[in-house]
Amino acid sequence: MSRRSWPPRGPSPPQPELVSPRSLTLDEQLHAYLARVGVREHPAQRALRLETDRLADGQMRSSLEQVQLLGLLIELIGASRVLEIGCFTGYGTLAMALALPPDGRVTTLDVNRDWAEIGRRWWRAAGVEERIVFREGPALASLDALLAEGAAQSFDLAYVDADKKGYPTYYERALALLRPGGLVALDNMLWHGAVADAADQSRQTRTLRDLTAAVHADPRVSMCLLPIGDGLLLARKR
Ligand code: CA
């Protein structure tokens, strides 16, 4: 069977039976161990993380191990052009910029310039400010502007961590902007566990649940939903 004929078209296959072993739940002690020896955090990343955590919206920051994984993925696929949808204070931005070669670029989008300016001080301190291009405005408008500028199929990796209602559209635009073999990573796809609770029919939960089902059935990509951070869905464009 060729890879392109998988997954099969048609109705979803039955659920496989649950199998062991499964991913661990991290308690405080194990998470502290992981943070100590499982990731390498640049001093500027640490400073930006701590500054972000003092903000009222600090919980919107991506997790330490998640941004480490994004950096490793950038190295693995030899990425030089990265798109970030949702900059916030630029903590993930910094991790990805540090993983890029010197001529690499992260194009990062956000409606809020003040958040990005917090990150910019630490991007500069880490010596990677010139690798980061911030675009202010609604993400969809910026994505359509990139496509209009001829950026289709020019990015190697796209990281989506923005308003959840926009995710289905961001996924489609990201696929259009990625080269074949490029990777889209969507954050918060386990949504604190709410997606597995059939009783939770809130709009955001349904959007993320429906999008995961759509990616699961999407023959244009290979995919894996990772239980890291709040759930990271990786999809490689074929
Ligand atoms: Ca997030």
Side-chain angles (χ1 to χ4, degrees):
M1 182 186 294
S2 81
R3 284 197 303 164
R4 286 182 190 285
S5 64
W6 183 258
R9 293 181 187 278
S12 296
Q15 285 288 109
E17 70 255 39
L18 290 173
V19 289
S20 288
R22 64 180 177 184
S23 301
L24 291 170
T25 300
L26 298 182
D27 60 18
E28 287 294 324
Q29 180 174 285
L30 189 53
H31 194 226
Y33 174 82
L34 187 151
R36 196 164 63 246
V37 299
V39 298
R40 293 175 180 162
E41 193 179 38
H42 187 286
Q45 278 182 285
R46 174 181 161 81
L48 176 52
R49 175 170 57 81
L50 296 176
E51 185 169 347
T52 302
D53 288 352
R54 289 196 294 271
L55 300 176
D57 293 318
Q59 82 290 344
M60 285 173 21
R61 175 179 62 74
S62 297
S63 75
L64 188 64
E65 57 269 31
Q66 214 174 349
V67 302
Q68 179 87 11
L69 175 65
L70 289 171
L72 188 63
L73 290 170
I74 283 170
E75 293 185 19
L76 281 169
I77 68 170
S80 62
R81 291 290 178 270
V82 169
L83 175 65
E84 183 181 48
I85 303 172
C87 177
F88 187 39
T89 63
Y91 178 69
T93 325
L94 177 55
M96 294 192 287
L98 283 166
L100 283 170
D103 63 347
R105 289 289 176 273
V106 183
T107 299
T108 183
L109 318 178
D110 212 293
V111 286
N112 188 328
R113 177 172 290 275
D114 295 340
W115 284 336
E117 290 306 320
I118 293 172
R120 185 175 301 283
R121 301 202 318 276
W122 300 109
W123 303 342
R124 192 176 302 138
V128 296
E129 185 187 12
E130 76 282 2
R131 297 182 197 170
I132 298 169
V133 180
F134 175 74
R135 291 179 78 129
E136 184 179 7
L140 183 54
S142 294
L143 294 167
D144 284 339
L146 284 167
L147 287 166
E149 291 161 18
Q153 306 212 35
S154 71
F155 286 92
D156 303 298
L157 185 142
Y159 178 46
V160 182
D161 190 10
D163 61 288
K164 305 314 166 202
K165 71 178 185 312
Y167 266 39
T169 312
Y170 302 155
Y171 172 69
E172 287 301 325
R173 295 299 192 280
L175 280 189
L177 287 160
L178 285 174
R179 63 165 168 87
L183 191 66
V184 57
L186 299 122
D187 191 28
N188 300 107
M189 295 302 279
L190 290 178
W191 205 229
H192 324 299
V195 288
D197 177 5
D200 189 330
Q201 293 294 325
S202 66
R203 182 177 173 189
Q204 288 183 320
T205 300
R206 275 192 288 122
T207 298
L208 298 181
R209 188 188 288 137
D210 292 350
L211 178 58
T212 297
V215 176
H216 184 251
D218 189 345
R220 298 173 298 172
V221 297
S222 309
M223 58 82 75
C224 183
L225 175 52
L226 295 177
I228 182 172
D230 191 29
L232 188 68
L233 178 54
L234 298 180
R236 177 186 182 272
K237 180 177 175 179
R238 291 174 168 173

